[in-house]
Every structure is written in structure tokens, then in C-alpha cells.
């Protein structure tokens, strides 16, 4: 039965201090979909090198992210959770796909433009070819579905373009993947400037809910969230971005739609509403937080065992695709490349 399932692929950069945005935009959907698909989730440590990292801290962050995926509800025995850098085929296919991607396409990527502005002293070639490595990640596993936040849509589109271009030249080599974006939570905004994406690098700590924030901190941050002077819980992204963002968060957790939320808080003030959102978020994150602590204290050996098994599983699939690609483009056979 296993191989009749479609393939799901996703990942996050290894250097993330995860925010509620990462959780609602990505991790929560991965958990929701994981039983239905044959899943691969990468700790994208090669992508993290596009920004300068302090080695010891970087190694620690990558391990923390691995544990967070597991704590969030992904069983590493049934989901292939692995480190991107443990499977060298990613970088190898990345190079080949670089040769099928135009520089004009890459210079239109908004993430490249944003990150180049932010790290003006280090606009390296890796930052430029970042989306090609991401395409290699996805295409190596012949993924059908890629659940990500809305900010990754452009990267997913270029992945599809590269796959289609390659297939047109060499026949059906790659599955052309579809993006998956949740109805709610696909773009969580800053609590202080609700027209900006919630991001870990925000200087104002009150803008961002971190996954490991305790209940008091979460509620305090929601109480301070920017709203408007209307005192009416109503969805209107343009005129009420703060309230709409809170509704988006609350809806992503409770499954309620806008009409239900508007009814629930009709006649109540923003104080009650913010409290309900804060409580819902804190309750949602509590099991993840306690599982995370267990994993990081008493279950390190278990995680190491899973890492080893999953490295082998990911490598097996990645090698299969790379072997095909090598043959198609006309590279000579490596005698003992399995
Ligand atoms: P950075 O802030 O440095 O750009 P990031 O927080 O976006 O990093 P990524 O590794 O780029 O982290 O993102 C991991 C996943 O989380 C992606 O699927 C991304 O779309 C999603 N994501 C990140 N921020 C948000 C957000 N505010 N709302 C919804 N999804 C998000
Ligand atoms: N660029 C992505 C992280 C990422 C990814 C991937 C996501 C790297 N490779 C493959 C999905 C599939 C981001 O979220 N910034």
C-alpha cells in the first residue's frame, strides 16, 4: 500500500527559531496531511548557508529544528525527516538544474531581492540560486504536493517551470509538483505591523509568537496586538488588517470560518477576542512544547537512531532520481553508483 500513496515534500531552513507563522503556514498542515501521503521533511541546512552562520550555534539549531518537527506531531518512523546536507544528491541535482534555469528568472525572485537588500554585504551566488536548490529538493523525491506558506509560492512556480523545461527536453523525468496553501494561516502577519509578514527576524519581540513562548508571554503579546478603533470583530483585510490577522490565526487553530467567528464575538470587545485567540494558541502549542522538552532531554538517542534510518531512506530515493537524470543528460556511468 505504501507506494500507492502520493509523495509530499517540504522543509524549513535549519536556522529558524520557529514562529507561529512557520507553524500555521507549514508544520500544522504537514501533520494534517502526513498520513495520507508518503512524506519527506527536510531540515534545510544547505539553504541556511546563504547567510553567514556561527558553526556551533548552527549545528545546535539544526538539531532543535529536527526535534521540533517530531514534537509537532510527525512520527519519524513513518515520515522521512532528515537533514538535507546528509544527502549530497541535493547539491548535485542543484548544479544540474542551475544549467536549466535562466538568470533572468532568478533575478525576479522577490525573496532574492528582499534578502539582498537585508544582507547587502553578502549577496552571494547561493542566495541567487537558492530557488534552484529548492527545486532540486522537491524534484529529487518526485513530489506531488508541497505544503508551504504563501511567501514560497514564487519558488514553487519556478520549480514547476524547471521541471517542465527539463521534461520537455528529456521526456518524463520529474513529477511536476503542486503547491498546497492552507485556507487560513498561509500568511500570518506581524502582531505589531499587520501588513508585514510575521518573521523571526523582527526587532520588536511583541510582533512575533515563538513556538516555545510560555502561556503568559503568548497572552501578553496578543493583548498588545495592534487592532483598530472600531471594536467590531469583522474580517476585512484591507481596512482591519490587525483584526483580520487575529481571525486568521484563530480560524487556523479552531477550524472556524469568518462568519462563525464574527457571530462568536458579536457584541464583545477586542479584549475578550484577544484573550480567546491567546488561549487557543497557547493550548495548541502546549503539547508541542512538552514533547519538545522530552525529546531534547531524554530521547536524544531515539532521535539519532531515526536520523540514521531516514538518511538511508532519503538517499535511496534521491539516488534513484539522480541516476535517471545523469543518464538522461548524457553523463557517463559511475561503475558502482547504486
Ligand atoms: P525568514 O523570516 O528568514 O524568511 P521564514 O520564517 O520565512 O524565514 P522559512 O524556512 O523560510 O522561514 O519558512 C519555513 C516555512 O514557514 C515556509 O513554508 C514558509 O512559507 C512558512 N512561513 C514562514 N513565515 C510564515 C508566515 N508568517 N505565515 C505563514 N507561513 C510562514
Ligand atoms: N525555501 C523554503 C525552505 C525550503 C523548502 C524546500 C520548502 C527549502 N527547500 C523544499 C519546501 C520544499 C522556505 O521556506 N524558505
Amino acid at each position: 500500500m505504501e507506494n500507492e500513496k502520493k509523495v509530499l515534500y517540504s522543509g524549513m531552513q535549519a536556522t529558524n527559531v520557529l514562529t507561529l507563522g512557520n507553524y500555521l503556514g507549514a508544520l500544522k498542515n504537514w501533520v494534517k496531511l502526513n498520513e495520507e501521503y508518503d512524506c519527506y521533511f527536510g531540515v534545510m541546512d544547505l539553504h541556511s548557508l546563504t547567510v553567514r552562520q556561527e558553526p556551533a550555534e548552527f549545528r545546535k539549531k539544526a538539531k532543535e529544528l529536527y526535534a521540533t518537527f517530531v514534537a509537532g506531531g510527525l512520527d519519524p518512523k513513518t515520515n522521512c525527516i532528515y537533514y538535507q546536507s546528509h544527502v549530497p544528491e541535493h547539491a548535485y541535482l542543484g548544479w544540474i538544474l542551475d544549467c536549466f534555469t535562466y538568470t533572468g528568472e532568478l533575478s525576479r525572485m522577490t525573496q532574492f531581492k528582499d534578502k539582498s537588500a537585508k544582507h547587502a554585504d553578502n549577496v552571494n551566488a547561493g542566495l541567487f540560486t537558492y530557488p534552484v536548490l529548492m527545486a532540486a529538493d522537491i524534484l529529487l523525491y518526485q513530489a506531488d504536493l508541497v505544503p508551504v506558506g504563501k511567501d514560497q509560492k514564487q519558488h514553487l512556480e519556478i520549480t514547476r517551470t524547471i521541471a517542465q523545461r527539463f521534461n520537455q527536453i528529456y521526456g518524463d523525468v520529474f513529477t511536476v509538483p503542486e503547491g498546497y496553501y492552507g485556507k487560513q494561516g498561509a500568511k500570518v502577519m506581524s502582531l505589531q505591523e499587520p501588513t508585514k509578514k510575521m518573521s523571526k527576524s523582527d526587532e520588536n519581540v511583541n510582533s512575533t509568537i515563538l513556538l516555545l513562548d510560555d502561556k503568559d508571554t503568548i497572552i501578553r503579546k496578543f493583548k498588545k496586538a495592534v487592532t483598530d478603533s472600531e471594536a467590531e470583530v469583522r474580517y476585512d483585510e484591507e481596512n482591519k488588517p490587525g483584526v483580520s490577522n487575529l481571525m486568521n490565526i484563530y480560524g487556523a487553530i479552531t477550524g472556524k470560518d469568518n462568519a462563525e467567528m464574527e457571530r462568536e464575538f458579536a457584541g464583545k470587545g477586542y479584549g475578550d477576542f484577544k484573550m480567546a485567540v491567546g488561549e487557543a494558541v497557547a493550548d495548541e502549542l502546549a503539547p508541542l512544547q512538552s514533547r519538545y522538552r522530552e525529546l531534547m532531554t531524554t530521547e536524544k538517542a531515539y532521535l539519532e537512531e531515526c536520523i540514521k534510518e531516514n538518511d538511508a531512506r532519503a538517499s535511496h530515493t534521491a539516488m534513484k532520481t539522480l541516476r535517471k537524470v545523469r543518464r538522461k543528460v548524457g553523463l557517463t556511468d559511475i561503475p558502482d553508483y547504486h
Side-chain angles (χ1 to χ4, degrees):
M1 282 311 268
E2 179 80 354
N3 37 12
E4 280 172 29
K5 286 184 181 174
K6 290 196 165 186
V7 177
L8 181 154
Y9 191 94
S10 200
M12 290 190 203
Q13 295 194 64
T15 34
N16 277 7
V17 175
L18 292 204
T19 70
L20 185 63
N22 299 123
Y23 177 76
L24 295 179
L27 185 54
K28 189 172 166 63
N29 290 330
W30 302 355
V31 174
K32 187 175 97 186
L33 296 165
N34 90 96
E35 284 177 15
E36 215 184 303
Y37 288 83
D38 186 11
C39 296
Y40 294 86
F41 297 109
V43 172
M44 301 308 185
D45 45 3
L46 294 176
H47 276 109
S48 297
L49 288 174
T50 51
V51 175
R52 206 64 72 227
Q53 304 295 342
E54 195 286 305
E57 181 64 16
F58 180 27
R59 208 167 283 129
K60 187 165 157 259
K61 280 270 170 308
K63 291 189 176 170
E64 289 171 356
L65 185 62
Y66 194 103
T68 309
F69 286 1
V70 178
L74 298 171
D75 180 351
K77 292 281 178 187
T78 52
N79 293 281
C80 185
I81 307 173
Y82 72 104
Y83 294 98
Q84 179 191 34
S85 69
H86 293 197
V87 182
E89 282 75 11
H90 287 250
Y92 193 151
L93 182 62
W95 168 257
I96 295 178
L97 297 182
D98 276 342
C99 304
F100 292 84
T101 310
Y102 301 118
T103 54
E105 290 171 320
L106 294 176
S107 35
R108 285 197 288 277
M109 295 289 118
T110 51
Q111 183 178 294
F112 172 67
K113 291 189 227 167
D114 292 350
K115 296 236 158 137
S116 322
K118 213 158 125 194
H119 304 279
D121 55 339
N122 184 19
V123 184
N124 59 71
L127 207 56
F128 190 60
T129 58
Y130 180 113
V132 189
L133 180 59
M134 178 161 161
D137 300 334
I138 297 167
L139 301 180
L140 265 182
Y141 298 87
Q142 306 288 0
D144 297 283
L145 195 72
V146 182
V148 280
K150 277 206 187 116
D151 60 315
Q152 292 301 310
K153 205 166 182 175
Q154 206 184 19
H155 288 166
L156 207 61
E157 266 149 30
I158 198 173
T159 299
R160 289 168 55 86
T161 304
I162 296 169
Q164 281 158 346
R165 182 173 298 149
F166 197 93
N167 285 351
Q168 219 153 39
I169 306 173
Y170 299 106
D172 265 351
V173 178
F174 296 125
T175 302
V176 180
E178 298 284 340
Y180 175 99
Y181 313 94
K183 268 208 282 301
Q184 288 162 308
K187 191 162 190 195
V188 177
M189 309 307 269
S190 153
L191 298 185
Q192 291 299 314
E193 285 175 79
T195 49
K196 260 178 44 187
K197 182 183 108 161
M198 182 182 282
S199 164
K200 59 181 183 254
S201 43
D202 206 305
E203 274 151 33
N204 186 343
V205 292
N206 290 321
S207 294
T208 309
I209 303 289
L210 302 180
L211 281 202
L212 298 179
D213 277 348
D214 61 33
K215 186 163 186 166
D216 289 348
T217 309
I218 293 175
I219 290 180
R220 182 165 34 81
K221 288 182 180 175
F222 276 108
K223 277 191 180 155
K224 289 193 181 149
V226 167
T227 46
D228 51 64
S229 53
E230 230 185 44
E232 186 190 3
V233 176
R234 178 168 52 83
Y235 198 85
D236 179 348
E237 254 176 58
E238 203 165 310
N239 300 306
K240 295 165 75 69
V243 169
S244 302
N245 185 38
L246 297 181
M247 289 177 77
N248 204 5
I249 293 171
Y250 190 63
I253 290 175
T254 59
K256 293 177 184 167
D257 64 21
N258 291 339
E260 276 175 271
M261 288 185 263
E262 284 166 9
R263 272 199 303 278
E264 181 176 350
F265 297 103
K268 294 186 185 153
Y270 285 161
D272 286 355
F273 173 51
K274 287 177 171 181
M275 195 64 191
V277 183
E279 295 263 358
V281 170
D283 292 349
E284 169 87 6
L285 297 182
L288 180 153
Q289 296 179 346
S290 63
R291 182 77 185 113
Y292 178 80
R293 277 183 218 106
E294 269 169 24
L295 286 163
M296 293 303 278
T297 48
T298 56
E299 294 185 50
K300 285 200 167 152
Y302 167 70
L303 288 182
E304 290 304 322
E305 173 198 310
C306 296
I307 290 167
K308 213 164 141 188
E309 285 171 14
N310 287 334
D311 276 357
R313 219 187 117 197
S315 294
H316 176 81
T317 313
M319 280 173 139
K320 206 165 126 191
T321 303
L322 189 68
R323 202 183 313 115
K324 194 164 165 192
V325 169
R326 285 181 33 81
R327 215 182 306 120
K328 290 283 186 183
V329 298
L331 292 166
T332 54
D333 291 340
I334 306 175
D336 53 0
Y337 187 75
H338 312 292

